[in-house]
Amino acid sequence: MFHLVLVHPQIPNNTGAIGRLCVNAGATLHIIKPIAFDIDEKAVRRAGLDYWHKLDLHIWESLDDFFANNPITNNAHFATTKTDKPYFDATFQDGDYIFFGSETAGIPHDILERYKEQNITIPMTKEGRSLNLAISTGIVLYEAIRQNYTLFKEQI
């Protein structure tokens, strides 16, 4: 139903957990290189448990490679702490792409600027600066599923 896009992920356990999330949510996972670990690393497999072989996984050599092969228009959402628009105010549709940046750098600034109207955030108190990447993907992905639950039910 949905496409989660990880831009330059750095922590193998997060990526493994997100892969597991994607299998259970019927989502495709796109990983944009460079990544800070070997995708076959034990930590990725351990976090993904026995789901990893069921994952619809696409690895892209670069953002340019990804954008050249995936038509991104208003069918995408870009998670960032640099906007005030909460994710629950976004309208998610079947087939949408949901982008998340690396754990330390986020989505590159030029991409956020290019798609400024499609930037979304998870509201947080002033006490923290960000959430764990795997948790963030789960929060936003399940809001997208909630908005499209009739279609999701057909998969379960």
Side-chain angles (χ1 to χ4, degrees):
M1 283 187 66
F2 296 101
H3 299 265
L4 285 188
V5 182
L6 302 182
V7 181
H8 314 150
Q10 297 178 334
I11 300 174
N13 297 29
N14 282 340
T15 301
I18 293 165
R20 181 179 178 183
L21 170 72
C22 286
V23 170
N24 284 291
T28 298
L29 179 59
H30 299 266
I31 298 176
I32 312 293
K33 291 181 177 182
I35 57 178
F37 53 88
D38 181 347
I39 198 70
D40 295 323
E41 200 170 301
K42 185 187 233 181
V44 177
R45 290 191 317 273
R46 186 171 42 248
L49 292 175
D50 57 347
Y51 295 94
W52 200 252
H53 72 282
K54 298 177 182 180
L55 178 61
D56 183 7
L57 175 65
H58 302 269
I59 309 281
W60 301 94
E61 292 300 315
S62 66
L63 275 165
D64 289 340
D65 183 29
F66 175 85
F67 283 113
N69 288 281
N70 294 279
I72 301 299
T73 56
N74 63 348
N75 63 338
H77 309 272
F78 299 83
T80 179
T81 58
K82 297 170 180 68
T83 186
D84 293 328
K85 180 182 178 183
Y87 71 95
F88 46 78
D89 282 350
T91 301
F92 296 93
Q93 296 183 24
D94 185 27
D96 278 0
Y97 293 81
I98 308 169
F99 285 73
F100 294 87
S102 74
E103 290 87 344
T104 58
I107 297 170
H109 180 73
D110 62 317
I111 302 296
L112 292 177
E113 282 299 311
R114 186 183 322 160
Y115 298 99
K116 194 172 188 96
E117 296 303 312
Q118 293 156 251
N119 291 350
I120 57 172
T121 195
I122 299 170
M124 294 176 283
T125 68
K126 296 175 187 168
E127 299 304 314
R129 68 183 188 296
S130 65
L131 293 170
N132 172 278
L133 182 61
I135 290 171
S136 297
T137 59
I139 290 169
V140 177
L141 179 58
Y142 271 88
E143 171 60 18
I145 289 171
R146 185 195 67 77
Q147 291 183 21
N148 294 271
Y149 190 66
T150 302
L151 292 172
F152 181 76
K153 280 194 326 188
E154 295 172 6
Q155 294 183 20
I156 56 176

